[in-house]
């Protein structure tokens, strides 16, 4: 009896579960943030999520002009990321899904706040407990490209 194949499959499954934390994490619409303008953008876990509303998050995106100009800058910046797909757009919000090269999906939600010409965001993995810094590094790159887009 050949035990090599079952041993390899069991080992691969164990490694996959260890890397993903054995659970699926989905977006949550609730937030512990006391800021009503950014309710729903909090991170359940900071190990697989980054946002612009928590103290350990990134700064919000800034734009000048109208809401429509802020939304247009968001859409133009997203177009520079081939792994991004816009799934919902409204006058003051946009949601996109980024798919990594190995197939993991991260949900990114943007909310435009016209009074402060600010765009808050949350980028969160849809699977696993850890993203190994992928959401943070992506949103840092996004913020850089967004700043370049709005400087035009």
């Amino acid at each position: 009896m050949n035990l090599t194949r079952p041993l390899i499959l069991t080992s691969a499954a164990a490694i996959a579960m260890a890397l993903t934390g054995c659970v699926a994490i989905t977006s949550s619409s609730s937030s512990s943030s006391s800021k009503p303008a950014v309710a729903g953008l909090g991170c359940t876990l900071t190990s697989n999520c980054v946002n612009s509303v928590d103290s350990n998050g990134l700064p919000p995106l800034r734009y000048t002009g109208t809401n429509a100009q802020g939304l247009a800058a968001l859409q133009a910046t997203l177009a520079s990321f081939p792994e991004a797909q816009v799934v919902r757009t409204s006058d003051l919000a946009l949601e996109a899904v980024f798919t990594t090269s190995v197939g993991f999906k991260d949900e990114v939600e943007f909310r435009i706040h016209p009074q402060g010409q600010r765009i808050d965001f949350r980028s969160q993995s849809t699977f696993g407990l850890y993203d190994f810094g992928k959401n943070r590094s992506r949103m840092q790159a996004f913020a850089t490209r967004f700043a370049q887009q709005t400087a035009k």
Side-chain angles (χ1 to χ4, degrees):
M1 179 178 195
N2 185 356
L3 296 178
T4 306
R5 183 170 165 85
L7 181 60
I8 290 171
L9 292 175
T10 303
S11 297
I15 290 169
M17 288 189 325
L19 289 176
T20 62
C22 305
V23 298
I25 303 296
T26 58
S27 294
S28 171
S29 62
S30 64
S31 173
S32 60
S33 174
S34 61
K35 301 176 185 177
V38 292
L41 291 181
C43 288
T44 305
L45 294 172
T46 57
S47 60
N48 73 351
C49 179
V50 67
N51 63 29
S52 61
V53 299
D54 292 337
S55 60
N56 62 344
L58 297 173
L61 305 172
R62 300 287 181 174
Y63 68 96
T64 57
T66 66
N67 303 345
Q69 290 169 317
L71 183 62
L74 268 181
Q75 291 170 326
T77 305
L78 279 165
S80 73
F81 287 86
E83 67 275 21
Q85 178 183 3
V86 175
V87 295
R88 186 180 68 83
T89 305
S90 69
D91 291 344
L92 297 176
L94 187 145
E95 289 182 28
V97 173
F98 284 75
T99 304
T100 68
S101 59
V102 294
F104 291 111
K105 296 187 182 296
D106 301 327
E107 295 175 345
V108 183
E109 184 174 348
F110 298 95
R111 295 219 189 128
I112 299 171
H113 303 286
Q115 296 82 4
Q117 295 183 317
R118 177 184 88 239
I119 300 172
D120 283 303
F121 61 85
R122 175 184 62 205
S123 180
Q124 180 174 4
S125 298
T126 60
F127 183 79
L129 294 174
Y130 303 99
D131 69 359
F132 302 98
K134 181 62 179 171
N135 283 295
R136 181 173 289 275
S137 64
R138 178 189 302 115
M139 292 312 296
Q140 288 170 328
F142 190 94
T144 299
R145 292 186 196 181
F146 183 83
Q148 292 168 347
Q149 184 67 36
T150 57
K152 291 181 180 180

